[in-house]
Amino acid sequence: MKAKSEALRDAATGRKSAESARPKAGRKRLPHAERKAQILKTATEFFADNGLTAQTRRLADECGISQRLLYRFFPTKEDLLDEVYRQEILGVFKPTWFAELQDRSRPAEKRIILFYEDYLKVTLTRKWLRLFMYASLSEARMAPDYISAIVTHLMEVIVREVAEEKAVTLPDDRTALHEMGWTLHGAISHYAIRRHLYKASNILPEQKVIAMHVRTFMVGFESMVQDYADHLD
């Protein structure tokens, strides 16, 4: 009986050791690049839902890894946020959009409408907008950097292309060009905010709303430039 009991105990101990040696669920060893991409994907959703001030300990739990392992891939939270910015905010912008907006083989209105249809679909998504809004409320440089690197250049291109087509002389003041551009870009960006964050403005098709804003901008363009010139007199 004693021998049998010891055998049963040894067998049970062996099973326990074998079970403890198995990898835990969610902790499968992945190649470095694959694990890093997985962390970044989870981090993007995590910060979009919880804001940029959310703790990395909670993020590590979401990733199914230890906080120590998280910091092996991203030594500081700032490093992680920088990568989120590069890939998820800046990275989704298509450089080809600038070339397409300046392709004068098509009317300016058509070019701008096509651009904003794609921009709304690719960039102004719920995830992107939430990240951008949280970045705007924090001390992170994401939002200001994106505006200075991308949006101001984008608005200058749009304003100059419309002015060229309408044979309108623009002021030398680039700040004025940016403000003119914001009347369109701001309207469409706020439409995306209403649609994705406020859960409003979901009745009309996006294409109709974009066309409406672009045509309003085109029709009022000459008056807008003239108003600026009149205020200088």
Side-chain angles (χ1 to χ4, degrees):
M1 286 293 294
K2 184 177 179 182
K4 184 176 180 181
S5 297
E6 290 177 351
L8 288 172
R9 185 175 65 249
D10 291 344
T13 303
R15 285 197 300 270
K16 186 175 180 181
S17 299
E19 288 173 359
S20 63
R22 293 172 190 163
K24 296 180 179 180
R27 294 295 298 277
K28 177 183 176 182
R29 291 184 64 86
L30 297 174
H32 184 277
E34 188 175 342
R35 174 67 77 183
K36 186 174 183 179
Q38 184 186 70
I39 292 172
L40 185 61
K41 182 177 184 298
T42 302
T44 300
E45 299 291 345
F46 177 77
F47 288 126
D49 287 338
N50 300 286
L52 304 189
T53 59
Q55 295 181 339
T56 54
R57 186 179 299 277
R58 287 179 56 202
L59 171 60
D61 289 341
E62 291 283 332
C63 295
I65 60 175
S66 67
Q67 190 178 29
R68 183 178 180 180
L69 180 57
L70 174 66
Y71 284 129
R72 284 180 57 190
F73 289 91
F74 300 96
T76 68
K77 185 178 180 181
E78 289 69 27
D79 291 329
L80 177 56
L81 290 176
D82 285 345
E83 191 65 23
V84 168
Y85 168 74
R86 282 192 293 271
Q87 291 204 27
E88 301 297 332
I89 292 184
L90 185 63
V92 296
F93 191 92
K94 300 179 184 178
T96 55
W97 280 333
F98 286 122
E100 291 165 0
L101 279 168
Q102 297 174 87
D103 177 9
R104 293 175 182 173
S105 64
R106 293 181 294 183
E109 181 177 312
K110 180 65 174 177
R111 284 178 266 154
I112 297 170
I113 288 175
L114 289 174
F115 161 70
Y116 275 114
E117 286 179 353
D118 204 20
Y119 188 72
L120 199 68
K121 178 175 63 178
V122 174
T123 301
L124 299 181
T125 62
R126 176 187 178 278
K127 179 177 69 176
W128 191 96
L129 288 166
R130 287 181 67 89
L131 281 172
F132 197 79
M133 293 292 281
Y134 279 127
S136 301
L137 296 171
S138 73
E139 295 182 359
R141 290 292 308 169
M142 290 183 187
D145 286 351
Y146 182 81
I147 289 173
S148 63
I150 299 294
V151 177
T152 53
H153 180 39
L154 172 67
M155 292 187 296
E156 280 191 44
V157 168
I158 289 174
V159 169
R160 292 188 188 282
E161 288 304 305
V162 175
E164 175 68 23
E165 184 172 279
K166 291 180 174 291
V168 172
T169 301
L170 292 172
D172 294 329
D173 185 357
R174 293 179 62 200
T175 303
L177 304 189
H178 300 162
E179 288 302 322
M180 293 175 192
W182 273 118
T183 63
L184 173 60
H185 190 80
I188 293 179
S189 296
H190 192 259
Y191 164 68
I193 292 171
R194 287 185 282 117
R195 188 177 183 88
H196 294 300
L197 304 189
Y198 301 166
K199 302 301 181 184
S201 302
N202 292 316
I203 298 174
L204 292 177
E206 292 179 354
Q207 292 85 351
K208 287 186 177 295
V209 176
I210 291 170
M212 178 173 62
H213 284 300
V214 173
R215 286 167 187 160
T216 300
F217 177 76
M218 297 290 294
V219 169
F221 186 81
E222 291 162 296
S223 296
M224 181 167 53
V225 176
Q226 187 58 51
D227 286 344
Y228 174 82
D230 291 342
H231 279 87
L232 293 179
D233 295 339

